[in-house]
Amino acid sequence: MTQEQLRDGLLGIAAPGAIGALGAFVGFWVSSYMTRRDEHSTKARRLERLGPALGFGIAYVLVLWAIVGLPAQWGLRAISASHMQTLLALLGLMLVGAESLSLRATKQPMIRWAGRLVLVGLVLWLQLASARRHQWDAGLETIAWTAGFGLWLVLAFGAMDLLQRKTNAAPAGFSMAAVPMFALPAIFDSGASAQWQIALGVGMALAGMAVVGLLLRGRSLGSPVGTLFVLWLSGVLVVGHFYSEMPLWHAGVLGAMPFLLVLPELKGKLNWKARLAVRIALIAVAGGVISFKAAPVFVKSFTGGGASELDFYK
């Protein structure tokens, strides 16, 4: 293993997982300590929400910065869709950080949704700008794609809220981590090689937080993590389908995964382990359907057995 491969491996696997785990651990453990001293501590509740959000958000931003880098020019028309992900991730991190510090956001959902609607507007305005200019016909096609993608964002945010309400940190983290992990070959096959590397980092950050959830039981990752998760997935869909070579039906299956995660919650009689197993199975089947053809090439490239020309696309 070369030094470059070792560095990339640590960056893509160890670093995001450690950052996500550290954020969740600090949030959960310190809030527990503060609650033991004062069971009515509002600071403890804020910190419990803030820790996982910062851990996941910082891991996501650092992975984007390391893999995609910073744009040479900061003009909105000059920034690529991949670089736009970094900008949106930073804005998303600030919004979910503010939400985490506001206890009213848990009791008044409109506070949470106000920040999300800002993100929806920015995604539709900034990330889809090139598609509006160069791919879609002005008029009905542009309206349909823009409205449809905006509706998907809103529904996906709602699905993540349901998942966070119904599950604790460990099952929620492992379930969300399954989405990028089982979709890696399909994302790789789209031609946007940076996206599968980002997806790997996102998956490891979520898995790291889930492991902490196994150690510190009874905690929730919270809706801010779900917000950032949907923001990441929207970037994959935009870059992978609109600006690369991901087939529409692959993007459709990938976009359906947040809703597959909440299907087991409709069966109230299942215990948390059974619901987790069903969620993982659903994601594994969906990921397998879109990934099985690309899996051999992806594994060969990932393990260093060969390189694909797709490795050099951003």
mmCIF file of all heavy atoms in Angstrom, residues 221-242:
data_model
loop_
_atom_site.group_PDB
_atom_site.id
_atom_site.type_symbol
_atom_site.label_atom_id
_atom_site.label_comp_id
_atom_site.label_asym_id
_atom_site.label_seq_id
_atom_site.Cartn_x
_atom_site.Cartn_y
_atom_site.Cartn_z
ATOM 1 N N LEU A 221 -30.246 10.705 17.429
ATOM 2 C CA LEU A 221 -29.384 11.557 16.614
ATOM 3 C C LEU A 221 -30.028 12.908 16.352
ATOM 4 O O LEU A 221 -29.328 13.905 16.181
ATOM 5 C CB LEU A 221 -29.067 10.866 15.282
ATOM 6 C CG LEU A 221 -28.206 9.610 15.346
ATOM 7 C CD1 LEU A 221 -27.964 9.062 13.946
ATOM 8 C CD2 LEU A 221 -26.893 9.868 16.065
ATOM 9 N N GLY A 222 -31.337 12.957 16.303
ATOM 10 C CA GLY A 222 -32.033 14.225 16.162
ATOM 11 C C GLY A 222 -32.290 14.616 14.716
ATOM 12 O O GLY A 222 -31.616 14.169 13.790
ATOM 13 N N SER A 223 -33.272 15.466 14.533
ATOM 14 C CA SER A 223 -33.666 15.905 13.198
ATOM 15 C C SER A 223 -32.564 16.665 12.449
ATOM 16 O O SER A 223 -32.525 16.605 11.210
ATOM 17 C CB SER A 223 -34.925 16.767 13.277
ATOM 18 O OG SER A 223 -34.723 17.882 14.118
ATOM 19 N N PRO A 224 -31.648 17.414 13.128
ATOM 20 C CA PRO A 224 -30.588 18.085 12.353
ATOM 21 C C PRO A 224 -29.727 17.131 11.536
ATOM 22 O O PRO A 224 -29.316 17.458 10.416
ATOM 23 C CB PRO A 224 -29.766 18.791 13.442
ATOM 24 C CG PRO A 224 -30.747 19.054 14.544
ATOM 25 C CD PRO A 224 -31.625 17.846 14.551
ATOM 26 N N VAL A 225 -29.453 15.938 12.075
ATOM 27 C CA VAL A 225 -28.673 14.949 11.316
ATOM 28 C C VAL A 225 -29.453 14.508 10.080
ATOM 29 O O VAL A 225 -28.889 14.350 8.990
ATOM 30 C CB VAL A 225 -28.307 13.750 12.205
ATOM 31 C CG1 VAL A 225 -27.670 12.633 11.378
ATOM 32 C CG2 VAL A 225 -27.352 14.180 13.313
ATOM 33 N N GLY A 226 -30.765 14.315 10.238
ATOM 34 C CA GLY A 226 -31.594 13.951 9.095
ATOM 35 C C GLY A 226 -31.596 15.015 8.018
ATOM 36 O O GLY A 226 -31.590 14.717 6.820
ATOM 37 N N THR A 227 -31.577 16.270 8.434
ATOM 38 C CA THR A 227 -31.527 17.371 7.466
ATOM 39 C C THR A 227 -30.250 17.315 6.631
ATOM 40 O O THR A 227 -30.283 17.429 5.395
ATOM 41 C CB THR A 227 -31.606 18.723 8.200
ATOM 42 O OG1 THR A 227 -32.856 18.807 8.891
ATOM 43 C CG2 THR A 227 -31.490 19.878 7.220
ATOM 44 N N LEU A 228 -29.113 17.125 7.292
ATOM 45 C CA LEU A 228 -27.844 17.058 6.575
ATOM 46 C C LEU A 228 -27.759 15.811 5.704
ATOM 47 O O LEU A 228 -27.164 15.830 4.613
ATOM 48 C CB LEU A 228 -26.682 17.081 7.569
ATOM 49 C CG LEU A 228 -26.486 18.396 8.326
ATOM 50 C CD1 LEU A 228 -25.380 18.248 9.373
ATOM 51 C CD2 LEU A 228 -26.153 19.535 7.369
ATOM 52 N N PHE A 229 -28.361 14.714 6.145
ATOM 53 C CA PHE A 229 -28.375 13.485 5.359
ATOM 54 C C PHE A 229 -29.106 13.699 4.039
ATOM 55 O O PHE A 229 -28.625 13.303 2.972
ATOM 56 C CB PHE A 229 -29.043 12.369 6.168
ATOM 57 C CG PHE A 229 -29.175 11.070 5.426
ATOM 58 C CD1 PHE A 229 -28.096 10.212 5.312
ATOM 59 C CD2 PHE A 229 -30.389 10.709 4.848
ATOM 60 C CE1 PHE A 229 -28.218 9.007 4.614
ATOM 61 C CE2 PHE A 229 -30.520 9.512 4.164
ATOM 62 C CZ PHE A 229 -29.433 8.657 4.052
ATOM 63 N N VAL A 230 -30.272 14.329 4.086
ATOM 64 C CA VAL A 230 -31.030 14.594 2.860
ATOM 65 C C VAL A 230 -30.275 15.581 1.971
ATOM 66 O O VAL A 230 -30.274 15.450 0.738
ATOM 67 C CB VAL A 230 -32.434 15.126 3.204
ATOM 68 C CG1 VAL A 230 -33.176 15.556 1.948
ATOM 69 C CG2 VAL A 230 -33.236 14.054 3.944
ATOM 70 N N LEU A 231 -29.611 16.553 2.576
ATOM 71 C CA LEU A 231 -28.819 17.504 1.799
ATOM 72 C C LEU A 231 -27.704 16.789 1.049
ATOM 73 O O LEU A 231 -27.446 17.078 -0.125
ATOM 74 C CB LEU A 231 -28.235 18.573 2.725
ATOM 75 C CG LEU A 231 -27.498 19.733 2.062
ATOM 76 C CD1 LEU A 231 -28.439 20.527 1.171
ATOM 77 C CD2 LEU A 231 -26.879 20.645 3.119
ATOM 78 N N TRP A 232 -27.040 15.820 1.725
ATOM 79 C CA TRP A 232 -26.007 15.030 1.031
ATOM 80 C C TRP A 232 -26.611 14.246 -0.121
ATOM 81 O O TRP A 232 -26.092 14.252 -1.251
ATOM 82 C CB TRP A 232 -25.333 14.055 2.006
ATOM 83 C CG TRP A 232 -24.696 12.920 1.271
ATOM 84 C CD1 TRP A 232 -23.544 12.951 0.549
ATOM 85 C CD2 TRP A 232 -25.229 11.591 1.106
ATOM 86 N NE1 TRP A 232 -23.315 11.729 -0.054
ATOM 87 C CE2 TRP A 232 -24.333 10.880 0.276
ATOM 88 C CE3 TRP A 232 -26.367 10.938 1.590
ATOM 89 C CZ2 TRP A 232 -24.547 9.552 -0.074
ATOM 90 C CZ3 TRP A 232 -26.589 9.616 1.233
ATOM 91 C CH2 TRP A 232 -25.683 8.937 0.407
ATOM 92 N N LEU A 233 -27.736 13.554 0.134
ATOM 93 C CA LEU A 233 -28.336 12.707 -0.896
ATOM 94 C C LEU A 233 -28.799 13.527 -2.091
ATOM 95 O O LEU A 233 -28.682 13.085 -3.242
ATOM 96 C CB LEU A 233 -29.506 11.920 -0.298
ATOM 97 C CG LEU A 233 -30.158 10.867 -1.186
ATOM 98 C CD1 LEU A 233 -29.125 9.869 -1.695
ATOM 99 C CD2 LEU A 233 -31.276 10.154 -0.436
ATOM 100 N N SER A 234 -29.301 14.725 -1.834
ATOM 101 C CA SER A 234 -29.716 15.580 -2.951
ATOM 102 C C SER A 234 -28.529 15.934 -3.841
ATOM 103 O O SER A 234 -28.660 15.995 -5.067
ATOM 104 C CB SER A 234 -30.382 16.853 -2.424
ATOM 105 O OG SER A 234 -29.444 17.723 -1.811
ATOM 106 N N GLY A 235 -27.363 16.150 -3.233
ATOM 107 C CA GLY A 235 -26.171 16.439 -4.016
ATOM 108 C C GLY A 235 -25.767 15.281 -4.896
ATOM 109 O O GLY A 235 -25.350 15.464 -6.053
ATOM 110 N N VAL A 236 -25.869 14.062 -4.361
ATOM 111 C CA VAL A 236 -25.551 12.875 -5.159
ATOM 112 C C VAL A 236 -26.486 12.775 -6.367
ATOM 113 O O VAL A 236 -26.049 12.493 -7.490
ATOM 114 C CB VAL A 236 -25.659 11.600 -4.296
ATOM 115 C CG1 VAL A 236 -25.454 10.354 -5.156
ATOM 116 C CG2 VAL A 236 -24.639 11.627 -3.173
ATOM 117 N N LEU A 237 -27.773 12.999 -6.146
ATOM 118 C CA LEU A 237 -28.740 12.895 -7.231
ATOM 119 C C LEU A 237 -28.509 13.958 -8.293
ATOM 120 O O LEU A 237 -28.555 13.668 -9.495
ATOM 121 C CB LEU A 237 -30.158 13.010 -6.665
ATOM 122 C CG LEU A 237 -30.598 11.878 -5.722
ATOM 123 C CD1 LEU A 237 -31.973 12.170 -5.142
ATOM 124 C CD2 LEU A 237 -30.599 10.540 -6.441
ATOM 125 N N VAL A 238 -28.235 15.188 -7.854
ATOM 126 C CA VAL A 238 -28.030 16.274 -8.814
ATOM 127 C C VAL A 238 -26.766 16.041 -9.633
ATOM 128 O O VAL A 238 -26.794 16.077 -10.874
ATOM 129 C CB VAL A 238 -27.954 17.632 -8.085
ATOM 130 C CG1 VAL A 238 -27.472 18.726 -9.035
ATOM 131 C CG2 VAL A 238 -29.318 18.004 -7.513
ATOM 132 N N VAL A 239 -25.654 15.801 -8.952
ATOM 133 C CA VAL A 239 -24.382 15.622 -9.668
ATOM 134 C C VAL A 239 -24.390 14.311 -10.451
ATOM 135 O O VAL A 239 -23.936 14.259 -11.601
ATOM 136 C CB VAL A 239 -23.200 15.654 -8.682
ATOM 137 C CG1 VAL A 239 -21.881 15.401 -9.413
ATOM 138 C CG2 VAL A 239 -23.146 17.001 -7.961
ATOM 139 N N GLY A 240 -24.912 13.250 -9.842
ATOM 140 C CA GLY A 240 -24.867 11.942 -10.486
ATOM 141 C C GLY A 240 -25.771 11.830 -11.694
ATOM 142 O O GLY A 240 -25.369 11.277 -12.731
ATOM 143 N N HIS A 241 -26.993 12.347 -11.589
ATOM 144 C CA HIS A 241 -27.934 12.191 -12.703
ATOM 145 C C HIS A 241 -27.884 13.354 -13.685
ATOM 146 O O HIS A 241 -27.712 13.152 -14.892
ATOM 147 C CB HIS A 241 -29.361 12.033 -12.176
ATOM 148 C CG HIS A 241 -30.389 12.004 -13.267
ATOM 149 N ND1 HIS A 241 -30.418 11.008 -14.231
ATOM 150 C CD2 HIS A 241 -31.397 12.859 -13.589
ATOM 151 C CE1 HIS A 241 -31.401 11.243 -15.086
ATOM 152 N NE2 HIS A 241 -32.012 12.367 -14.717
ATOM 153 N N PHE A 242 -28.032 14.588 -13.202
ATOM 154 C CA PHE A 242 -28.137 15.726 -14.111
ATOM 155 C C PHE A 242 -26.820 16.092 -14.773
ATOM 156 O O PHE A 242 -26.805 16.561 -15.911
ATOM 157 C CB PHE A 242 -28.702 16.934 -13.368
ATOM 158 C CG PHE A 242 -30.116 16.757 -12.891
ATOM 159 C CD1 PHE A 242 -30.424 16.815 -11.554
ATOM 160 C CD2 PHE A 242 -31.139 16.517 -13.797
ATOM 161 C CE1 PHE A 242 -31.727 16.645 -11.112
ATOM 162 C CE2 PHE A 242 -32.447 16.346 -13.378
ATOM 163 C CZ PHE A 242 -32.752 16.406 -12.028
#
